[in-house]
Every structure is written in C-alpha cells, then in structure tokens.
Amino acid sequence: MRNYLIILFSVFAFPGFAQTYVLNGKVTDDAGKAIPFASVYVRNTTKGTSANSDGVYNLNLAKGQYEVLFKAVGYKQEIRNITLLADTKIDVGLKAEQYHLNEVSVRAGGEDPAYDIIRKAIRKRKTYLNEVNAYTCEVYIKGLQRLLDAPKKFLGFDVQKFARQNGLDSNRRGIIYLSESQSKLSFMKPDMVHEEMISSKVSGSNQAFSFNRAGDIRVNFYENLQNWEGLSNRPIISPIADNALSYYKYKLIGATVENDEIVNKIQVTPKNDNNPCFSGYLYILDDSWRLQGVSLYITKKANINFVDTLRVDEQYVPVNKVWMPASMKFEFNGGFLGFKFAGYFVSLYKDYEIDPQLDKSQFKEVLRINKGINKLDSVYWQQQRPIPLTDEEKIDYKKKEVLAAKRESKEYLDSIDHENNKVNITRLLLRGYFHRNRFKHEYFTTSSLLSAVQYNTVEGLALNYGGMFSKLIDSLNNRRFTVYGNARYGFSNKLFNAYGGVVVPVGQATLNLSGGSTIADLNDREPMSSFVNSIHTLLYRQNYKKLYQKQFASATLNTRIYGGWQASASAEWANRKWLDNTSDYSLFHPKGKEFTSNNPFIPDADVPLFENNQSFKVTLRSTYDFSNQYEPYPTGRRYLPSKYPTIGVSFTKAIKNVLGSDADYSLISADITKSDIPVGYYGKFSFWVGAGKFFDVKNIYYMDARQFSGSQITVYRVGIDKFMLLNYYGYSTGDKYLEAHVEQNFTGLFVNKIPLLRKLKLQEIVDVNYLTTPALKNYTELGFGFQTNFGLRVMYGTSFNTGEGNVKNGLRVGLNF
C-alpha cells in the first residue's frame, strides 16, 4: 500500500436501458442494532453490495427471481428468495454465528486442531496464489476520514479557522474527507495492474479527484508478506505465510456450515506483540483449505506508523470455480499531538471475468484518469452508488458543495491570497516572501532573510538573496514558465555578484538559460551548506568551505525520449577567478583553532590553487530505468519508477580556444543505482556505483576534476552517494575513479529487543562506502546507526584508508528527507 494515493478518472458509459428495481432495507443484529457494512449478494454471482455504516443497503436488480445472501463476519448467513417486480424493502436480522468444536478433535494437553488446518492452508497457499492468471472486474471504493478532536491552534496554525472553513463543527469535529470512485481493474500475473477510473466524487471540491485507488487497496493474504508502504517500515507477515508458524499462535474457535461447506473459524495472535503480525480471525473452508474470509487487525505495538489500530475485513465469493474478493474494508483510528481521527475505506468487487484475453502492452498504462469524470451529477451517483449514503454523509456532500463553489470563485481565491500574502517579520525571517495568485496560476517567492545572511573567510559577512517567479502556461500538461535571479555581496572583499535565468517549455522538453556571476564551492557537489559553514566559522573558527568566483553563461535542455529513457544536453562558458581570504573574524577563538587559507592543500598560506582561467564545456547525459509504465492524468502523463536499477552514462568535453577556453579534456562516466529494494522481513537495500575516466587531458583545473561528497563535521548530508568521514576537497581526481555505496535499512531486527528504542520506532541502518582513485588507493567506510520515522539519522562510522594507512572514527547526525 502506498503512504500517498492520487486518483483521476475516465468517462463512464450510460447504464443500460433494461428496467431495474431497487431492493433495499436494513441489516441488524438480534438486539436490533445496525450491522455496519454487512454484505448483500445474489447467490452464485458477484452482483452485490454492502450496507453502509448504519446497516442500510441498496441493490439494483432487473425484474426477476433471486436468491439473496445476507452475511457479515461473526453472524449466521441469511438467505431470502425474492421475486422482484417493483422496488422492494426487506429488513433482515442476522443472528450471531454459532461455531461448534468437534469434541473428538480436542485433546487435553495436545496441539490445538487449528494447527493442522493452518498447515494444510499453508501447503495450498502457492496453489491459490497462482490459480488465476488474469482477471478483470469493476471496483467501487468509498473512503471517509473523520476528525474526532483537535487543538484550537497547532504550531501557529489556526486549526479553529481551518475547521470552520472546511465545514467542521465548533469543536473541530466532523468529516474531513469523503469520496467515492468507480474503476475498471485488470490484473495479469505476476503483478501487472491496469486501472481505469470511470467516476470520482470528492466532498467539498468540484475540481479534485478521489484519492481512492483500487490498485492500492488490493491485498492478497496468499502472499507471504504484505508490503504496506508508509504504514509499516516492515513487511507484515501473513497468517498463512510459509513461515507463519514461527510468528503466530492459532486456536480453533469452531466450525459451522455455510452454503453446504464447512467453515473453520481460527483465532490468530502474534507470538511476540512487537512482530509485524496480525491478530484476529481466519475463516478457512474444510477440504479445500482456502480462505473464505478474514477479520484481522494490527496495532501500534507492532510499530506501525500514523495509526493506532488498523482493521482489515475481507470476504471471498466463488467465481468460476475460484474464489475472488467480494468486499474489503479497512478501518483505522489514531492520534498525534492532540489530533484524534478515525475512518475507513471500503471496496466492492463485481462483474469478474476470469482469465480473459489481455494484452501485456496495456499494462504499461497503470492508471488512466480522463478529464471530466469528477463532473458527473447527483442523478448519476444515485443510480450507480452501491453503498447508500448515511444522513451525515448526505449533509456533508450538500454543505460542502456550497463551500466548494465559493472556494473556486475568483473572489474567494483573491481573498485567500490577500490573507496568505500578508507580510510579517517571522515569515520574512524563516520562509521569505511568498506572493500567490491562485486564479492566474502564478506565484513569486524570495529567500528567507535568515538564509540570506552568511559568513565565510573569503567574503566576510555576505548577503545572498534570490527570488523566483513562476506561471502555469499549459494546464493540460502542467508546464510552467519560470524566471529566477540571485544577488550576492561580500562586505569584506567588496565583490558584488548576480545571476539570473529562465526556464521555458520547448515542445516536450524543458530549456534552462542562465548567466551572470556567483561565488561557487570548489567542490561542485557542495557537501556542506552555507549555513553550517557560517556556524562553524563564527563559533568554532573552522572555515571548511573553499570558494571561487565564477562568471558564466549556460544552457541546458532536458527531455524524455521514451518511457524511462531520459536525456539532457548542456553547454557552459565560465570565467573562473581565484579568491583569497579577506576576513579572520570569529565570535570565539577556541584554543588550537586557526583559520586555514582558501587553498585546501596549502592551509597555512594564501597560495592560489589555480590561475584565473576560462572554460567551455559540453555535457551529454542519458539515463534509463527500464520502466515504460505511466499514469495519464488530465494534467499530463506521470511515469512510474522501475523495480530495476537506473543506469546513467555521461560525457563531458572541455573544448580549448572556444570563447577563450583554456580547459582541454574529456570525461566519460557511468553509474547505476537503485533505492529501497525490498529484502523481505529484513528491510530494504539501496546501492549506488559510479565510475569515470578522464582522457585526452591537455589542460584541466581543480574545479573540473571529479569531486566527492564527504563530511568532516558531526552534521552531514544524508544520501546514497555520500560519504560520512571523507575530506571535502583532498581526494578529487582528474584521472579515474570508482566509488560504491551500499545501504541496508533493517526493520526492527535489533530495535525490538530494547523497549526504549522500540517505542521510538527506530530503523537500523548499515552503510558501506568505498572509493578508489590513483592517489587515494582504497578508502572504505563502515557505518552503523538508527533513523527515526521523521528522518533524523544518527550514525557511527569508521574509515580505513589503505593509501595512508590510517583509521578514523566519528559520530554523524543528519536529516534524511
């Protein structure tokens, strides 16, 4: 499951002309209380519906005779023979199911008979996982999220005002998300999915599309692991996985007969509460040992994110001798920093076609969302909605329809912009100025004042301030025209620099033209931010960052050639000037700490590292990620990442004498990378490998060499292609290089053994970084540490430099976004 879901839809065909009637009513228990989301199905078909949260159901059927099943988890199924000649109301009461134990099967002190049933179900797991090669069906999804409690304000944000604007009550309670959608879903083994959204309705918006997505709600408990991205850092183990007996305890509650088949009810509980396992019940058919239904839940004890409890209920129905999901429901609740919420997503499946003739090429398009599917009126939804609305939901749609019309008007958008565009000193200091015109689809933003003030020994106190203007010029493909600029002044060296640029769409490509002058880092990977360098310079008298002046003009063209194949071409002319230190001020002067020169190789003297020079270079780069899958939205096509690594190849040529260029060399490089490769229960694995070779080198300068992203201080930049302990400038090369980075994110393997760490929901990380150049020989880093859910990473690293024969150790802290 994805921690993010966006869905857009295509036009739905009009219903047929055959006369249909409505079978409706309410499903209750023995006490007369509503049974939420009870299932109502025509026997031996997939025509059916679900009751709403109040137990009310609607089922549209043609004139005729039907055998209708009414069922819910934990209740005895009711069958009604109905002759439908007009709209008919039938209320049904369901009795609690009675499960009986076979006395012969229960042996004192012996193994619970549930284990024998589970072993048989596990042996049949692969059979049922692979028995359907392909299928198509229609899916209806309804999602609702409700705010149960919230503070009036949160970190300066006016929650009370937000609640009022979004239709919540005075206590900040009510429905914050209500949406319905319909899709046509196609599946082909092993994991290919094509989904066409055919209708979408979102309460409170006439423009948005539902977040519901059938492909994301697909759950198959015949798979060993349930990878629910975002919800759990660890894959969740199925109760009938091959190794489930190592993680679960089972108890046979009893058996009952339903539709002439024996159904065994088995209670499942984790052997260890902290393992990523479910609790609840499995309903397994005797003799065939297949799932007839599940009612499972998982709690925050298993280190799930965002919610306290998530419940999954799924029911299966026979379709052409196989059993397919008929309905699935996710219910959740949770709380965070004073906010409490609850909600559900329920999906209904109908009109299955098993093993249809499907073309593999159609699965390149994973999701299709056409324009206009969110414009269907209330008459359409009254005819097509299988789950009736509750009174609360009807009120929410009606109330927020008025709010939506208001919010999409020019007057409202202008009023919101007027309020949000107000200037205040806190915003200027921390975020900068932001001016937005929603109606014209344009915005203007500037740097924050805090980030604009910098200090380094080359410029002394420096002001570095920038701004950007962007306007949407192609709403169909979401293409923008952007202008940006930056001005910088050093008060000690009295140098003023400024540059600007423009980004424009050119067909399917994007062209970036820029030029001017700037102060640049000698290491073009910029391993240290200006803010961190300013802190270390002023407080610790450590001036790590080495700078030079660059006057330049450049042009870059980026485009997608086809599918996962992308390419870029750039040309740059630059005039590079050496700069000396001009300031030696610091707030403190720790003992033994002195500023170094701007030359990283001669720290005690301001000897220029290079003579002033010009360069003209052309760079070509192409990447391919082996994926041609995409999702067409009304705003354009979005390509999906591949499960295979991305390969990149680059070529750079510095051409002598073009526009006075002094540089003369060639560089060819290649890299291969892939992040978050699942390795089952053990977490995820990522790697990055790059290599390059300079040739035809006639004249090369330090800033042209291959640089590496290292770290010499406690705070470091997290990334798969970055080192934790490497010197910022000492190991660049103009010859050849090979670097490799491997990262393994373990998911609770060690954390679960320590209560405090388990409560923090930390993720264990092991890093191995390697670099070899002719001068450096072999440099290796080993890192061990933890990362929190919000990205704070603490690592302890050890480096081995066989070229210099030394060992370094260090603690590093970083943020991984």
Side-chain angles (χ1 to χ4, degrees):
M1 290 180 62
R2 300 184 180 180
N3 55 356
Y4 55 89
L5 306 172
I6 299 178
I7 296 189
L8 312 167
F9 299 78
S10 57
V11 180
F12 187 77
F14 288 101
F17 295 103
Q19 177 68 53
T20 61
Y21 298 105
V22 177
L23 174 66
N24 63 9
K26 189 171 184 178
V27 183
T28 59
D29 61 13
D30 287 338
K33 293 183 179 180
I35 300 178
F37 305 107
S39 296
V40 182
Y41 274 89
V42 177
R43 190 167 192 170
N44 298 324
T45 75
T46 58
K47 291 180 181 179
T49 187
S50 171
N52 63 20
S53 57
D54 292 336
V56 177
Y57 73 93
N58 280 342
L59 182 58
N60 293 321
L61 295 170
K63 175 182 177 181
Q65 292 184 336
Y66 298 95
E67 193 174 14
V68 181
L69 310 180
F70 297 83
K71 58 190 300 184
V73 174
Y75 294 89
K76 186 174 181 61
Q77 175 183 275
E78 281 285 327
I79 303 176
R80 298 294 176 88
N81 292 302
I82 298 169
T83 300
L84 199 61
L85 300 176
D87 291 349
T88 304
K89 182 177 181 180
I90 297 181
D91 295 330
V92 175
L94 300 183
K95 297 180 179 180
E97 181 65 89
Q98 299 295 320
Y99 291 90
H100 302 283
L101 280 171
N102 184 342
E103 295 180 1
V104 178
S105 300
V106 181
R107 301 183 302 275
E111 183 182 67
D112 193 284
Y115 284 86
D116 183 54
I117 296 172
I118 289 296
R119 289 189 182 96
K120 291 174 180 176
I122 291 174
R123 284 197 290 269
K124 298 287 286 186
R125 182 192 67 82
K126 283 188 178 180
T127 300
Y128 296 139
L129 177 65
N130 298 303
E131 70 177 339
V132 177
N133 295 312
Y135 68 82
T136 62
C137 67
E138 293 188 9
V139 187
Y140 166 84
I141 304 174
K142 180 179 179 180
L144 183 144
Q145 296 176 35
R146 180 181 284 105
L147 193 62
L148 303 178
D149 196 11
K152 289 185 176 180
K153 288 193 174 182
F154 180 74
L155 297 177
F157 178 72
D158 193 338
V159 180
Q160 184 74 32
K161 181 180 177 181
F162 171 83
R164 185 174 62 253
Q165 292 175 342
N166 288 273
L168 304 184
D169 66 21
S170 58
N171 294 316
R172 302 165 300 285
R173 298 171 183 165
I175 296 174
I176 55 176
Y177 175 78
L178 170 61
S179 178
E180 299 171 275
S181 62
Q182 292 175 299
S183 299
K184 293 180 179 178
L185 183 68
S186 301
F187 169 83
M188 180 181 286
K189 285 197 316 186
D191 56 3
M192 293 184 289
V193 174
H194 168 73
E195 181 176 353
E196 182 179 2
M197 297 302 202
I198 54 182
S199 60
S200 168
K201 185 175 179 65
V202 180
S203 181
S205 177
N206 297 323
Q207 304 296 329
F209 295 89
S210 171
F211 290 110
N212 309 339
R213 179 170 176 171
D216 291 321
I217 299 181
R218 286 175 58 251
V219 174
N220 191 339
F221 287 99
Y222 291 116
E223 294 177 347
N224 282 322
L225 300 174
Q226 309 299 310
N227 290 295
W228 292 358
E229 295 288 344
L231 177 70
S232 175
N233 293 331
R234 300 177 289 174
I236 306 173
I237 301 167
S238 169
I240 56 170
D242 289 339
N243 61 346
L245 292 171
S246 299
Y247 293 94
Y248 285 97
K249 295 183 292 184
Y250 303 91
K251 180 180 180 181
L252 179 63
I253 302 301
T256 188
V257 176
E258 187 173 290
N259 300 324
D260 300 324
E261 295 198 72
I262 297 175
V263 182
N264 299 289
K265 182 179 181 180
I266 296 176
Q267 184 180 36
V268 299
T269 53
K271 286 186 174 180
N272 184 326
D273 285 342
N274 304 121
N275 282 335
C277 296
F278 297 99
S279 298
Y281 299 96
L282 299 179
Y283 299 86
I284 298 177
L285 296 176
D286 223 42
D287 294 333
S288 62
W289 314 115
R290 66 163 74 241
L291 294 174
Q292 185 247 19
V294 301
S295 182
L296 301 170
Y297 66 92
I298 190 169
T299 71
K300 60 182 180 181
K301 287 183 179 180
N303 281 350
I304 58 176
N305 304 320
F306 308 117
V307 300
D308 295 337
T309 303
L310 176 71
R311 180 177 294 276
V312 185
D313 290 292
E314 186 173 21
Q315 293 191 20
Y316 301 84
V317 293
V319 182
N320 296 346
K321 298 183 180 181
V322 299
W323 286 64
M324 302 296 294
S327 65
M328 181 174 293
K329 179 184 62 174
F330 292 89
E331 285 187 281
F332 55 87
N333 63 73
F336 180 72
L337 297 177
F339 292 87
K340 294 182 180 179
F341 57 89
Y344 67 82
F345 284 89
V346 59
S347 57
L348 300 179
Y349 302 83
K350 68 175 184 177
D351 296 341
Y352 278 103
E353 185 178 356
I354 304 300
D355 290 332
Q357 292 296 318
L358 299 177
D359 186 352
K360 282 188 177 182
S361 63
Q362 79 178 78
F363 292 96
K364 292 179 181 178
E365 183 181 271
V366 177
L367 172 66
R368 169 164 289 279
I369 303 163
N370 291 328
K371 202 171 183 180
I373 59 169
N374 57 349
K375 308 298 183 185
L376 300 169
D377 60 20
S378 58
V379 175
Y380 168 88
W381 281 102
Q382 287 174 4
Q383 294 174 341
Q384 298 299 325
R385 177 183 291 123
I387 301 179
L389 298 177
T390 65
D391 291 340
E392 181 189 25
E393 292 163 355
K394 291 176 183 177
I395 293 172
D396 190 76
Y397 268 136
K398 187 174 182 179
K399 179 173 58 176
K400 290 182 180 176
E401 185 177 0
V402 177
L403 292 175
K406 178 183 176 182
R407 281 199 294 259
E408 291 161 12
S409 67
K410 184 179 186 302
E411 292 76 15
Y412 180 82
L413 294 176
D414 287 345
S415 68
I416 292 294
D417 289 337
H418 177 74
E419 182 69 23
N420 293 337
N421 293 340
K422 287 181 178 179
V423 178
N424 64 68
I425 189 63
T426 302
R427 184 178 296 179
L428 288 176
L429 282 173
L430 301 179
R431 297 170 50 193
Y433 178 66
F434 185 88
H435 185 279
R436 182 175 182 179
N437 189 317
R438 299 167 193 262
F439 190 77
K440 292 183 177 180
H441 302 289
E442 59 188 34
Y443 66 87
F444 172 71
T445 183
T446 67
S447 307
S448 69
L449 292 177
L450 192 61
S451 67
V453 179
Q454 302 176 6
Y455 182 79
N456 59 74
T457 54
V458 171
E459 300 173 286
L461 178 65
L463 291 180
N464 183 35
Y465 202 70
M468 179 182 68
F469 171 80
S470 180
K471 181 176 178 60
L472 184 69
I473 60 176
D474 180 3
S475 58
L476 183 63
N477 297 299
N478 199 27
R479 308 295 296 280
R480 287 186 168 272
F481 169 78
T482 302
V483 178
Y484 58 91
N486 190 88
R488 180 171 184 149
Y489 182 73
F491 287 90
S492 180
N493 65 359
K494 297 180 171 54
L495 280 181
F496 175 79
N497 293 275
Y499 67 86
V502 59
V503 180
V504 294
V506 180
Q508 298 300 312
T510 301
L511 177 65
N512 186 344
L513 300 173
S514 62
S517 63
T518 187
I519 301 299
D521 196 321
L522 282 172
N523 184 335
D524 61 2
R525 304 285 293 279
E526 296 190 63
M528 172 184 278
S529 71
S530 296
F531 175 77
V532 172
N533 182 69
S534 298
I535 295 298
H536 275 264
T537 304
L538 286 170
L539 301 184
Y540 307 114
R541 205 168 174 82
Q542 295 173 318
N543 57 329
Y544 286 108
K545 210 170 181 68
K546 309 303 177 184
L547 307 168
Y548 72 101
Q549 186 182 41
K550 176 181 175 182
Q551 298 164 330
F552 70 99
S554 69
T556 302
L557 188 69
N558 294 285
T559 190
R560 183 180 298 276
I561 297 175
Y562 176 76
W565 184 14
Q566 299 184 69
S568 66
S570 65
E572 180 192 74
W573 173 87
N575 181 39
R576 289 91 65 96
K577 294 182 179 180
W578 173 256
L579 298 175
D580 292 322
N581 284 340
T582 62
S583 176
D584 65 352
Y585 173 79
S586 64
L587 292 173
F588 304 101
H589 196 152
K591 185 176 180 180
K593 297 291 186 180
E594 295 295 340
F595 285 135
T596 59
S597 75
N598 197 40
N599 186 331
F601 299 98
I602 307 178
D604 299 326
D606 269 324
V607 178
L609 177 61
F610 59 86
E611 61 186 16
N612 294 347
N613 64 86
Q614 291 79 42
S615 73
F616 178 82
K617 61 182 180 181
V618 176
T619 300
L620 304 175
R621 178 165 174 81
S622 181
T623 62
Y624 186 64
D625 72 353
F626 297 93
S627 174
N628 293 322
Q629 291 188 318
Y630 58 90
E631 296 177 343
Y633 293 83
T635 55
R637 180 178 289 187
R638 184 174 77 94
Y639 284 88
L640 302 179
S642 169
K643 62 181 179 180
Y644 300 106
T646 298
I647 295 175
V649 178
S650 301
F651 175 73
T652 298
K653 176 63 179 176
I655 308 174
K656 188 175 177 60
N657 296 327
V658 174
L659 301 176
S661 173
D662 302 305
D664 188 4
Y665 64 89
S666 298
L667 167 64
I668 188 167
S669 60
D671 52 81
I672 180 171
T673 183
K674 180 61 180 173
S675 297
D676 297 333
I677 304 169
V679 285
Y681 183 72
Y682 298 103
K684 294 179 179 178
F685 168 78
S686 302
F687 72 90
W688 191 96
V689 179
K693 177 73 172 72
F694 288 84
F695 60 97
D696 292 337
V697 178
K698 305 295 193 304
N699 201 12
I700 189 170
Y701 297 89
Y702 180 85
M703 63 284 293
D704 298 317
R706 169 66 180 185
Q707 312 289 339
F708 305 99
S709 185
S711 181
Q712 296 175 250
I713 61 175
T714 301
V715 178
Y716 83 115
R717 287 187 171 180
V718 177
I720 188 59
D721 60 343
K722 292 176 171 54
F723 294 88
M724 288 191 301
L725 303 169
L726 189 70
N727 184 281
Y728 294 123
Y729 302 98
Y731 301 118
S732 61
T733 181
D735 186 358
K736 55 189 174 183
Y737 69 91
L738 170 67
E739 63 175 314
H741 307 260
V742 176
E743 179 179 282
Q744 173 67 51
N745 292 356
F746 293 98
T747 50
L749 208 59
F750 312 113
V751 162
N752 285 334
K753 303 184 189 315
I754 305 173
L756 176 62
L757 298 182
R758 184 172 65 242
K759 188 173 182 180
L760 294 173
K761 298 183 180 180
L762 297 179
Q763 187 178 52
E764 307 95 327
I765 298 174
V766 175
D767 279 335
V768 181
N769 304 312
Y770 173 79
L771 174 65
T772 181
T773 68
L776 185 58
K777 302 300 182 186
N778 296 315
Y779 173 89
T780 304
E781 289 182 351
L782 297 177
F784 306 89
F786 300 95
Q787 180 173 297
T788 66
N789 285 339
F790 55 88
L792 178 64
R793 177 180 291 197
V794 179
M795 300 288 293
Y796 182 81
T798 299
S799 69
F800 309 89
N801 187 345
T802 58
E804 298 177 358
N806 57 26
V807 177
K808 291 182 180 179
N809 302 286
L811 185 70
R812 295 292 183 262
V813 178
L815 277 176
N816 185 20
F817 296 102

